Amino acid sequence: MSFNLDKITRENVKGLSPYSSARDEYVSDGSTMVFLDANENPFENGVNRYPDPQQRGLKAILAEQKVIKEENILLGNGSDEVLDMLFRAFCEPKQDNIITLPPTYGMYKVLSGINLVENREVLLTNDFQPNVEEILKTIDNNTKLLFICSPNNPTGNSFSTKAIEELLNSFNGLVVIDEAYIDFSSKESWVSKLANYPNIIITQTLSKAYGMAGIRLGICIASAEIIAVVNKIKPPYNVNQLTQEKATTRVLDKQAVKNEVSEILAERSKLEEALKTVSFVETIYPTDANFILAKVDDATLRYNQLLKKGIVVRNRTTQPLCANTLRFTVGTPEENNSVINALKELSN
Ligand SMILES: Cc1ncc(COP(=O)(O)O)c(C=O)c1O
């Protein structure tokens, strides 16, 4: 394999220098200074100053926890923003293409539409694994990004390590491994293999296991060279002050996150066991995430029946390979009891 970052970076991005904001040029080291450089309102209210555009404090903690360097991290307004930045840094509109593996997270397709980049879809196999042979056949000289969601949404399973390794080794573009659900998984994160692959990008988020969907904090992890390219197009203040503060407090509270994940996993087992007893549930797919995909007799009928009982699940029946499936997010013990009781009532 010969991965060449310069070759896959968009021409216009190569020549860009990022916008240099007032806070880029002088970042406080904690000593008392008079800040008259950024046209801010000087009266203190906690958020009257621009946030650190490079989020140094938060990155330092994340780098330590993930055993990487700060230069390997870029943060975004949710991982959705990170994914969008990857399109804008690497894909030439109307010329380049990306590969996605449906059924998978819907934003990759939406972003390809927004960015005018062809989305080449290679269906997962019937057991929801990447079809490596077909993917390799679909790649051409204009393929820039390959999106691998593992654990995958909506199927819940992790992809085989061997398949992902083969793709990393054979593809000259960037392999984006979306690890939104990695904290619920028994499999190791690909972050530990960062140094082995020049073309790997890992995305993570505080929206799932960390319980912070509302603050919007996405994490992009890659080589320092890749991160430097994406930094050129990053809006200067994409991660606001309140998000940086909340995220810092939360990532430092590792035990609280661990306890919640353990409880969610125990509840997931409870929900799986209950689903097995429901007459109209035909298949419960293996999951490494905080949700369960189940095949039922008639997904739309069951979805509407649950709605009437005040319970909203996700009907995935229109997704390829997902006919008559419902996706159940694991809730609190009380919420899970409600859905279990509702399913039992409908099961009679
Ligand atoms: C696989 C996957 N990636 C990314 C996201 C979006 O994450 P964020 O909230 O960080 O934008 C989701 C949200 O559902 C997801 O399922």
Side-chain angles (χ1 to χ4, degrees):
M1 194 195 70
S2 67
F3 172 74
N4 182 335
L5 181 61
D6 202 49
K7 230 168 139 181
I8 69 150
T9 302
R10 273 177 75 185
E11 275 314 314
N12 65 320
V13 173
K14 280 184 205 168
L16 281 181
S17 357
Y19 171 71
S20 181
S21 66
R23 277 306 104 82
D24 270 312
E25 286 170 15
Y26 185 85
V27 177
S28 170
D29 61 2
S31 51
T32 312
M33 303 290 281
V34 177
F35 284 109
L36 302 177
D37 57 343
N39 303 343
E40 297 151 333
N41 177 329
F43 299 108
E44 199 51 62
N45 62 17
V47 287
N48 58 313
R49 298 288 176 188
Y50 282 101
D52 174 5
Q54 290 304 328
Q55 311 98 19
R56 289 167 178 82
L58 180 53
K59 275 188 194 164
I61 299 162
L62 290 171
E64 193 194 334
Q65 291 186 352
K66 294 178 189 296
V67 201
I68 51 177
K69 297 199 173 120
E70 289 163 47
E71 64 190 26
N72 297 120
I73 304 176
L74 177 139
L75 300 178
N77 183 13
S79 37
D80 283 347
E81 189 195 34
V82 167
L83 297 169
D84 185 50
M85 284 195 264
L86 298 180
F87 276 88
R88 291 191 291 122
F90 299 108
C91 302
E92 207 64 64
K94 296 194 199 171
Q95 176 184 308
D96 290 334
N97 66 74
I98 59 147
I99 295 181
T100 58
L101 314 179
T104 194
Y105 180 48
M107 267 312 270
Y108 314 138
K109 187 177 187 168
V110 170
L111 290 170
S112 73
I114 292 170
N115 288 289
L116 266 182
V117 173
E118 183 194 351
N119 174 28
R120 297 188 173 177
E121 300 188 324
V122 181
L123 279 194
L124 295 177
T125 58
N126 286 332
D127 58 350
F128 298 146
Q129 289 294 325
N131 186 336
V132 175
E133 206 184 315
E134 269 312 304
I135 295 168
L136 295 180
K137 272 199 246 164
T138 307
I139 289 168
D140 67 14
N141 285 336
N142 289 322
T143 308
K144 295 294 186 70
L145 305 171
L146 164 62
F147 287 94
I148 296 197
C149 186
S150 182
N152 186 41
N153 178 8
T155 59
N157 64 304
S158 298
F159 293 160
S160 116
T161 303
K162 195 168 153 274
I164 298 180
E165 265 168 4
E166 206 174 329
L167 293 166
L168 280 162
N169 284 324
S170 328
F171 178 40
N172 289 336
L174 292 163
V175 178
V176 183
I177 306 185
D178 184 338
E179 291 191 336
Y181 299 97
I182 193 67
D183 304 291
F184 302 106
S185 170
S186 48
K187 290 238 172 118
E188 202 188 356
S189 162
W190 284 85
V191 172
S192 60
K193 309 242 177 71
L194 187 62
N196 302 3
Y197 302 102
N199 58 340
I200 194 171
I201 296 182
I202 298 137
T203 61
Q204 297 181 346
T205 177
L206 294 204
S207 297
K208 308 297 176 183
Y210 283 80
M212 298 249 126
I215 68 168
R216 314 301 301 128
L217 199 278
I219 307 168
C220 178
I221 298 165
S223 71
E225 293 75 21
I226 293 173
I227 295 295
V229 171
V230 187
N231 256 323
K232 287 186 177 188
I233 62 161
K234 184 186 85 60
Y237 302 118
N238 64 327
V239 181
N240 71 66
Q241 181 69 29
L242 300 176
T243 295
Q244 293 190 37
E245 287 170 11
K246 276 267 186 196
T248 301
T249 309
R250 185 63 166 167
V251 296
L252 284 174
D253 199 355
K254 285 204 297 204
Q255 196 54 45
V257 177
K258 217 171 147 193
N259 292 346
E260 286 178 16
V261 168
S262 300
E263 185 158 5
I264 290 167
L265 293 182
E267 285 295 306
R268 186 180 76 188
S269 303
K270 180 178 97 181
L271 193 52
E272 269 171 331
E273 287 310 307
L275 283 168
K276 285 183 193 162
T277 68
V278 176
S279 63
F280 55 82
V281 170
E282 294 171 7
T283 314
I284 302 159
Y285 295 98
T287 180
D288 252 337
N290 65 334
F291 55 84
I292 301 168
L293 188 76
K295 193 180 189 96
V296 297
D297 55 349
D298 182 338
T300 304
L301 170 75
R302 301 307 178 183
Y303 173 83
N304 287 323
Q305 287 175 330
L306 286 171
L307 260 193
K308 279 206 185 109
K309 291 179 178 288
I311 294 162
V312 192
V313 298
R314 196 90 202 261
N315 185 355
R316 296 283 74 191
T317 194
T318 58
Q319 300 298 299
L321 309 176
C322 290
N324 283 319
T325 58
L326 295 176
R327 193 190 67 192
F328 298 83
T329 302
V330 180
T332 62
E334 296 72 30
E335 289 170 336
N336 302 326
N337 290 340
S338 302
V339 75
I340 289 168
N341 289 336
L343 289 166
K344 280 190 179 149
E345 280 166 29
L346 296 171
S347 193
N348 291 328

